[in-house]
Amino acid sequence: MHEFRYDPVQLPASAQILRSDVRTFIAEEVASGAFTPSRNSWNTFDADFSRRCGERGYIGMRWPKQYGGHERSALERYVVTEELLAGGAPVGAHWVADRQSGHQILRYGSDRAKQTILPKIAAGVCFFSIGMSEPDSGSDLAAVRTRAIQVESGWKISGTKVWTSGAHRTNYLIALARTGPKEEDRHAGMTQFIVDLSHPGVTVRPIYNLYGGHDFNEVVFDEYFVPDDMILGGVGMGWKMVTGELAFERSGPDRFLSTYQLLLESIRAIGPDPDDRSANEIGRFVAHLATLRRMSTSVAGMLERGAQPIVEAALVKDVGTTFEREVPETFRHLIPTEPTLGEGGSYPELLGMTILRAPGFTIRGGTREILRGMIARGLGLR
Amino acid sequence: MSEIRDDLLKTVDRIFDEHCQKSVRESAEAGEWPAALWQALEEVGVTRAALPEGAGGSGIEFEDAMFALRRSAYHAAPVPLAETMLAGRLLAAAGIAVPEGGLTVAPVQRNDQLKLAKEASGATVSGTAHRVPWGNLCAHAVVVGELDGIGVAGLISIVGAAGSVERNLAGEPRALLRFERAPLIAFAPLEGALSRLETEGALYRSVQMAGALERTLEYALLYANERVQFGRPIAKFQAIQHMLAVLAGHVAAASAAADAAVETSGIAPDEFGVSVGKSRIGEAAGKGAEIAHQVHGAMGYTREHNLHYSTRRLWSWRDEFGNESYWQTRLGRAVAAQGADALWPMLSRL
Ligand SMILES: Cc1cc2nc3c(=O)[nH]c(=O)nc-3n(C[C@H](O)[C@H](O)[C@H](O)COP(=O)(O)OP(=O)(O)OC[C@H]3O[C@@H](n4cnc5c(N)ncnc54)[C@H](O)[C@@H]3O)c2cc1C
């Protein structure tokens, strides 16, 4: 049986200095009117804000200085990201590049990719999307049909990606495409490509979401040319990299802080002297949150030590997203209000926006069911 | 795992394997004192492990003592280890010498109040304490109350003092103690004695539940892989896999919450850590036990299978020293009083 464990971590003193640095930054930003925390989520796209994050050294924190990084530890990065999220900062523009794409390029990219792209990501001026899902390939990623055919000095990609968050505003995406025949091993023959969205042969069309927002897109490739040195990790390695990437994606504070602004505003609305029922629910959420943070920092500590806490990370996401979804469902009882369409400028709008975003929490980055299947595998059940 | 922790694990697991078989658990539920088990724990110093060294402790860290307690709960050991540790730490904090043998504490229910009084010969205690854990089998109890408006802890002999004995769902004795100007062996001021008893009691129950949850998950995983229906182990059914994944989430959260509470309670129980722990782990106890039983089918509903030793403890301990609602409400009030802007600094202080 797999034993999962959440060893305690000690945050280094440097992390505490960074923490107050980020708090000062956020306070200044809010004071200057750059953003309003309750209006944001970690998907909120604000290129100017991301550039200022880059200037302060908050992006690419773990990467070598040679590529514009800051050679910080996983725990230092953890503290910066959790402070940005807790502060309601609009980190959506650089989030994916910082959390996963940059990391992949650093590990698997060509020299040219590393040299031309990473410094721009770290500077907060270059943004990424994820091109995995397709109309017929969601949870079953091995079913991708987007195909890349070898041509002179590169590959030509044709096919359609969907739900591609931010692709109408980002600079690049990493596309998973089929490069070999489907063999007995369904996971063979897939490759990841770095796609420059400003080049010809790729069209981005909006797919409006549940709340009428334009976050994700359909991305259509029509013989889009990718030079050989924009392949990640070699032909046929796509599957291995995609699954590795997801592990990184799973255990961060973004997996339990998606409804934190609603929690805060609800506590504010209930006031300093809550009745028993409200106090009870607030206390319950705080207990969950404190525990999740402990689990999540512990996973960051394990990643730092080079461990592969796959089950631990998956558990953080499953428990964390379950918690996120309970927050609006509980406070709507405690603060009777009619949720309202809008941008989160008032409590009814914040509640409304959270309710409409909530279904995505347990779908994006691998559905709850897929995640539970992975946990079960880790527990030795399949 | 540290070397000390590793040694401790081997030592206590050996003791429990040897002295905590089913027959011992059953006879303990029938009212018999598990003398051999207790003696083995005393011999290796586990019963005094939570005490500071100056107060007769075994020289191990508080965190390691709590680890031993967690293992005792994993093994469903029918002994007042938590109570003895709790009483000992209260005595040590008050500067009173800790006697040998099993110890318990009173009062353990919020509505019970003991009246302490100074008399010519010393101090006495009067009043009724309900459901004192192991109060019929321990030689001494630590009683807490107030004297002249100051918190006080006192030591009293309770041999033969127990009135009626009830049992919690796990069959652990909970005794009625009635005192009528009963003389204290020793007493000393202890700041916030009542709330310290309650908070520390909740800490130990949290740690115990974390241990019992670990065992509960283990039983459920074993059973799912063993039990065959429709030609394959039930572990192969996705519904079972998903239930067990949810159970694992609760066990993981309980484990992390227990560690966090212990870490901040080395000197005295930490209000925030314990509130979080008892709340989160109490919730995990109920939800986790439900899943484990569902996975076990009728077999888990029997007295034969060992699952019930763990789940009956979970269903008992979550309500002792304050249930989830009590601690959540307390925590929620503290958070609301400080205001939303104080929440993140509080959560991120570690
Ligand atoms: C807000 C949001 C943003 C997103 N952004 C991106 C992005 O930027 N890039 C990108 O590539 N993708 C993105 N996605 C897509 C996301 O990765 C997929 O939605 C997800 O992987 C599930 O695929 P699907 O929607 O096709 O659902 P399906 O796979 O069709 O699943 C439908 C239902 O069936 C269940 N199911 C499927 N297979 C199984 C199984 N084996 N066992 C049990 N149940 C199963 C699922 O859990 C789900 O409940 C985004 C999604 C959302 C909601």
Side-chain angles (χ1 to χ4, degrees):
Chain A
M1 188 188 81
H2 177 92
E3 267 190 50
F4 47 82
R5 40 194 302 195
Y6 293 88
D7 295 333
V9 296
Q10 192 82 46
L11 292 177
S14 58
Q16 302 298 3
I17 296 169
L18 271 167
R19 189 188 295 291
S20 51
D21 190 62
V22 183
R23 280 187 193 169
T24 309
F25 172 59
I26 290 179
E28 286 167 8
E29 290 279 312
V30 172
S32 75
F35 71 85
T36 310
S38 66
R39 288 174 189 266
N40 293 329
S41 73
W42 54 264
N43 304 106
T44 307
F45 197 102
D46 182 339
D48 290 334
F49 179 80
S50 289
R51 188 176 33 76
R52 292 197 290 279
C53 285
E55 282 163 9
R56 291 186 76 104
Y58 298 161
I59 306 176
M61 292 185 67
R62 299 188 64 196
W63 311 343
K65 294 213 163 110
Q66 177 190 358
Y67 300 120
H70 305 284
E71 303 188 358
R72 298 278 200 165
S73 67
L75 291 170
E76 288 172 317
R77 176 176 181 273
Y78 187 93
V79 164
V80 168
T81 55
E82 74 167 354
E83 285 296 328
L84 288 170
L85 293 180
V91 293
H94 69 264
W95 196 253
V96 165
D98 181 54
R99 183 183 64 191
Q100 60 199 92
S101 321
H103 181 79
Q104 293 250 316
I105 293 171
L106 182 66
R107 258 186 94 180
Y108 302 110
S110 67
D111 283 343
R112 186 169 77 93
K114 284 192 272 200
Q115 277 154 13
T116 55
I117 297 173
L118 291 178
K120 286 196 271 174
I121 295 179
V125 297
C126 174
F127 312 127
F128 268 73
S129 292
I130 303 167
M132 296 192 193
S133 306
E134 297 184 7
D136 294 321
S137 169
S139 299
D140 185 12
L141 255 192
V144 294
R145 288 197 192 156
T146 294
R147 183 158 260 304
I149 292 170
Q150 195 154 23
V151 294
E152 199 188 321
S153 70
W155 296 73
K156 280 203 163 162
I157 304 182
S158 295
T160 301
K161 295 287 171 185
V162 285
W163 328 129
T164 325
S165 300
H168 55 307
R169 293 185 283 209
T170 53
N171 308 91
Y172 292 92
L173 64 74
I174 295 181
L176 180 68
R178 186 153 289 291
T179 44
K182 262 199 186 172
E183 294 163 26
E184 229 163 84
D185 176 5
R186 312 179 60 230
H187 302 144
M190 300 211 279
T191 306
Q192 291 218 94
F193 296 92
I194 303 173
V195 168
D196 185 333
L197 287 164
S198 68
H199 287 186
V202 53
T203 315
V204 178
R205 294 196 201 101
I207 304 176
Y208 292 96
N209 60 24
L210 185 59
Y211 58 91
H214 177 195
D215 282 344
F216 52 36
N217 302 277
E218 179 190 58
V219 177
V220 179
F221 298 95
D222 180 14
E223 304 208 335
Y224 174 95
F225 175 74
V226 189
D228 280 328
D229 61 3
M230 287 293 143
I231 289 178
L232 275 181
V235 175
M237 269 187 64
W239 182 258
K240 193 171 156 252
M241 286 158 54
V242 165
T243 43
E245 183 172 353
L246 290 175
F248 257 87
E249 204 197 302
R250 255 176 222 129
S251 62
D254 41 339
R255 296 314 181 185
F256 55 90
L257 289 178
S258 302
T259 52
Y260 186 66
Q261 300 309 317
L262 179 64
L263 176 65
L264 282 186
E265 293 313 313
S266 302
I267 292 171
R268 233 186 282 285
I270 286 167
D273 189 21
D275 61 22
D276 278 351
R277 184 167 170 221
S278 297
N280 191 340
E281 297 295 355
I282 292 170
R284 176 169 176 268
F285 283 140
V286 171
H288 274 254
L289 201 48
T291 305
L292 278 159
R293 182 174 175 275
R294 167 113 188 167
M295 295 164 75
S296 169
T297 50
S298 168
V299 174
M302 292 187 264
L303 289 172
E304 172 96 45
R305 294 197 298 274
Q308 296 233 320
I310 307 255
V311 179
E312 285 86 348
L315 284 169
V316 171
K317 189 179 171 196
D318 187 34
V319 178
T321 52
T322 301
F323 158 79
E324 287 180 330
R325 295 205 58 175
E326 285 183 24
V327 173
E329 290 306 305
T330 297
F331 283 117
R332 59 175 275 275
H333 292 290
L334 301 177
I335 306 169
T337 178
E338 295 182 16
T340 301
L341 283 176
E343 301 279 308
S346 63
Y347 187 82
E349 284 187 13
L350 176 59
L351 177 65
M353 193 169 70
T354 310
I355 289 171
L356 294 183
R357 280 186 175 152
F361 302 161
T362 42
I363 294 172
R364 61 186 180 190
T367 69
R368 167 189 280 164
E369 291 68 35
I370 294 301
L371 209 57
R372 288 186 180 164
M374 292 182 33
I375 295 166
R377 175 164 298 136
L379 293 172
L381 296 168
R382 44 186 292 223
Chain B
M1 206 182 284
S2 72
E3 220 168 287
I4 296 180
R5 184 68 66 92
D6 208 31
D7 285 349
L8 191 63
L9 174 68
K10 282 189 196 122
T11 307
V12 296
D13 276 2
R14 180 184 46 74
I15 291 174
F16 293 123
D17 285 343
E18 225 167 277
H19 297 289
C20 186
Q21 302 98 342
K22 203 176 178 99
S23 56
V24 175
R25 292 188 195 138
E26 287 296 330
S27 60
E29 287 198 38
E32 203 175 301
W33 173 247
L37 171 58
W38 185 257
Q39 196 189 333
L41 291 172
E42 275 191 335
E43 272 167 14
V44 296
V46 167
T47 57
R48 299 176 81 85
L51 296 176
E53 236 184 321
S58 335
I60 70 172
E61 300 284 329
F62 182 62
E63 285 164 25
D64 291 324
M66 288 298 101
F67 176 72
L69 178 64
R70 189 153 150 179
R71 289 311 286 178
S72 78
Y74 170 91
H75 291 281
V79 284
L81 184 57
E83 291 75 7
T84 300
M85 286 177 165
L86 170 54
R89 280 240 297 181
L90 291 173
L91 290 176
I96 300 171
V98 182
E100 295 289 318
L103 306 172
T104 187
V105 292
V108 292
Q109 302 222 307
R110 252 181 313 287
N111 293 332
D112 288 346
Q113 273 185 11
L114 296 179
K115 202 166 147 287
L116 303 183
K118 274 200 184 118
E119 316 232 344
S121 56
T124 61
V125 59
S126 303
T128 305
H130 296 89
R131 292 182 72 92
V132 174
W134 302 89
N136 55 330
L137 294 171
C138 293
H140 295 96
V142 171
V143 291
V144 301
E146 285 189 350
L147 256 181
D148 308 327
I150 297 172
V152 166
L155 178 65
I156 187 168
S157 164
I158 54 167
V159 176
S164 61
V165 177
E166 297 175 7
R167 296 199 170 265
N168 69 8
L169 298 182
E172 295 177 321
R174 300 294 182 253
L176 183 77
L177 293 183
R178 203 168 265 136
F179 302 111
E180 185 67 49
R181 294 181 63 204
L184 297 181
I185 297 167
F187 69 101
L190 177 64
E191 211 191 299
L194 268 165
S195 90
R196 179 157 181 169
L197 185 157
E198 178 180 55
T199 310
E200 193 144 341
L203 170 66
Y204 294 172
R205 288 294 183 261
S206 301
V207 168
Q208 290 175 291
M209 284 192 283
L213 274 163
E214 280 160 354
R215 188 59 174 276
T216 300
L217 174 63
E218 218 172 280
Y219 282 135
L221 293 174
L222 272 175
Y223 191 75
N225 278 322
E226 261 167 35
R227 171 72 176 164
V228 173
Q229 284 294 280
F230 298 99
R232 48 190 173 150
I234 57 169
K236 300 297 167 207
F237 297 118
Q238 202 177 48
I240 298 284
Q241 292 173 358
H242 287 196
M243 282 198 276
L244 290 173
V246 174
L247 170 58
H250 284 299
V251 177
S255 177
D259 286 345
V262 166
E263 223 168 74
T264 49
S265 298
I267 310 283
D270 171 55
E271 162 92 22
F272 180 77
V274 173
S275 305
V276 166
K278 192 70 166 55
S279 301
R280 184 64 187 90
I281 302 170
E283 183 178 331
K287 293 183 171 165
E290 178 181 339
I291 294 172
H293 275 283
Q294 190 63 20
V295 167
H296 278 84
M299 183 51 83
Y301 195 66
T302 64
R303 189 84 185 185
E304 255 161 71
H305 190 282
N306 286 336
L307 175 66
H308 66 85
Y309 291 116
S310 301
T311 52
R312 286 188 294 130
R313 279 173 170 73
L314 292 172
W315 287 319
S316 300
W317 292 339
R318 63 180 176 165
D319 285 322
E320 295 179 352
F321 295 103
N323 64 16
E324 298 97 277
S325 286
Y326 173 76
W327 288 102
Q328 284 162 358
T329 305
R330 199 159 141 170
L331 179 58
R333 279 199 194 294
V335 167
Q338 292 180 54
D341 295 323
L343 178 58
W344 186 252
M346 183 156 111
L347 287 168
S348 59
R349 76 202 156 114
L350 295 172

